[in-house]
Amino acid sequence: MTDNAQQQPSAPTSELPTQYAPAEVEGKLYERWVERGYFAADAKSDKPAYTIVIPPPNVTGSLHLGHAFQHTLMDALTRRKRMQGFEALWLPGMDHAGIATQNKVEQQLAEEGKSRQDLGREAFVERVWQWKEEYGGKILGQMRRLGDGVDWSRERFTMDEGLSQAVQTIFKKLYDDELIYRAERIINWCPRCLTAISDIEVEYQEDDGELVSIKYGEGEETLVVATTRAETMLGDTAVAVHPDDERYKHLVGRRIKLPLTDRTIPVVADTHVDPEFGTGAVKVTPAHDPNDFAIGQRHGLESITVMDERAVITVHGPFQGLDRFEARSAIVGALRSQGRIVAEKRPYVHSVGHCSRCRTTIEPRLSLQWWVKVGPLAKAAGDAVRDGRVKIHPEDMSKRYFDWVDNLNDWNISRQLWWGHRVPIWYGPDGEVVCVGPDEEPPSGEGWTQDTDVLDTWFSSGLWPFSTLGWPEQTPELRKFYPTDVLLTGHDIIFFWVARMMMFGLYAMDGEVPFRTIALTGLVRDERGKKMSKSFGNVVDPLDWMDKYGSDAVRFTLARGANPGTDVPIGEDWVQASRNFANKIWNATRFALMNGATVQGPLPEASKLSATDRWILSRLNKTVAEVDAYYDDFQFAKLSDSLYHFAWDEVFDWYVELSKTTFMAGGEAAKVSGRVLGEVLDVTLRLLHPVVPFVTETLWTTLTGGESVVIAEWPKAVLVPGADTPGGFRDDAAEREIETLQQVITEVRRFRADQGLQPGQRVPARLTLDGTALAPHEAAIRQLLRLQPEGEAFAATATLPVGGAVVALDLSGTIDVAAERKRLAKDLAAAEKEKVQANGKLGNEAFLAKAPDQVVDKIRARLTKADEDIARIKEQLERLPQA
């Protein structure tokens, strides 16, 4: 082994079993890695730091394919950097997931016939902690199954003591800087979870509803408004029209009768109204619609709340106590009986917001909440990308980022929950409001109470890159590992998480960015490109695939599909193919060890290397450079594909096969090739390790006798003694020579297959290689092509000129030429008939005018295939010897 490896190896330690059994080795290997501290990062190390913080999964969650996908890529990045000599920290942890976790425990209580109110706040929170200890964190064990090389000694939880101190610290800082305030605004309210949720936690879907047009007012003072939420009319405090709409100018400033009530409401003029849409008049309900709230603010309108927190009507006797949807039907019925329904449209398909946690329809609601003033924070987050301090990869995703941060509304951070970081605000008996920092004593005495709300989960996870390293304390970890290097995450949470970390990181860390690169991935989909969903029945548990095919197979499949920013289709067949790749690596390494592959001693002098040896070493160095470039560009699919084809095609299918004659012959040449093969396997296994860690660990330690590939050195260009190539050995001439050899072997194999010869069937052949670079390869050509010496009765019945060489074959004793000609003639006739029929249909204008596009496309495809079949069969006939 050259200086490319970290430790001096001993001889191979043991023989490999005949088959690779992932289930028997993966768990043991992982625990050994953890016990030996390979993943632990040292803040006192003088090595350069490399940091990735894991997007903290919910404490309620379990490993799904999306997690497995992103964790595979983060693990590959971290393992490579560790091998390159960096002090690599991949920091794990979990998010307390306020709404999701509280829902879990409330469901548990409901099964006992209790509610959280029955327990009280303190006891309920204690019950949630108990649930967390018993059921939470399932995903952490599953991360071990996948092979995540995280530093478990630094595991964090967003509700642990240190992170809670960070939350309270930054809240106090924002509050003192007047970037946190309390105000009554329209928020998204979930009547099931009984809390506000942010805009990004609302999922919109097309629902069937109804659109009713209602006549307001009497006589000449009549307006028609249309609505999909008739129940909110009980809270209307105006009708708005556009100031330039001539139809309604005479009504602006007047008051008209609000149906079903004893109130009159004004007609106001507001430019928000589109005079071209509907009747050009809109009902205004400031307490139940964000646009109406803005109109109400501009015109000083009253805000009347007509529903309680469970979306039950609280006003107007006949409808009081009805659920909002029951009230909608009842109100429309009452209006219809009064002749005030001008038009009805059912079903009326429109976009409706739903709670992402429980799927309940969201209710816009006027509520007193805590807000972050995001203007200056969002500007800083945008500037950090614009001036290049943070790179977004792929770059074309930057537009989505800017579209978001440049148009952010103030952030509602309070939630009406009990599980979470409680808002650190105390209210006094005389209206006092005090914000309390982590080192301050809260005010006490009669009448002082703490705010009952908790903070949005994203508030604490927004601090993740620095709170997990000990902030607000200036810890050695913070100095060593901040800013982090890469944030690798799905493009779908740019809005949820990425922007919030950018805002908080820049604010808390005095303008220092939280990460230098944002590497955005796509989403995992099924093999047909369809979103994975329980309702579609196409959700896959990655643990099932790990059990069946091994973790390496799942990891390699995911990495091989990972093109930056684009979605990743995945199917079981692909995982099975990756398992086959792992088996190929295993079997080829086992064969190599049995045939003298070794890493002992230096590589032989260049003058002792055969062309095949020089070719594979040159190709190895090109692969090393290619893989490095792809890693630096986050091109996981390309680097995986490059390694796959190099390992399977060039090393195992070509170099090993071409070297078999050398190994069988023995002697000095066999020793040279054994040392070259050992070097190639050593480097290839190290290149593969970050993506497929388990099988490579077993093979590399067996091949080299080294302690672990986890701590081996990342490959550099291989140097060959006596070759003047300081940048690593390259031999373009040897590459061209072996490419020609491959061309000859491939072409003759194709001809043999066309003639129906069995792969192992031996055929007499004369090879004319004089004057070509292929002369030294005659033994290998004959071995790989099953070509025996020509003999005295040799008669060349087929001649193949290829790659400057001539291969003459005697097929007289191997195939029935007459029968083969008859079979091919029959196939040719069928192909020509297919061509005539396809041409006939495509030439028929009447048919083309009526046939669907997909039918025409199929016929064109049939014609193309017929042409290809005709050409192929004619070539086979020409190559057949004369009968």
Side-chain angles (χ1 to χ4, degrees), residues 73 556-564 566 630 634-644:
L73 306 188
F556 193 72
T557 305
L558 291 165
R560 204 173 177 195
N563 291 298
T566 59
Y630 286 146
F634 303 100
Q635 298 280 358
F636 296 97
K638 289 182 179 179
L639 73 88
S640 299
D641 216 44
S642 176
L643 285 169
Y644 175 89

Side-chain angles (χ1 to χ4, degrees), residues 725-748:
T725 52
F729 179 78
R730 298 287 178 91
D731 192 329
D732 293 338
E735 290 196 41
R736 288 192 297 271
E737 180 176 328
I738 301 304
E739 284 171 9
T740 302
L741 176 60
Q742 291 171 330
Q743 182 185 358
V744 170
I745 292 171
T746 301
E747 187 64 25
V748 176

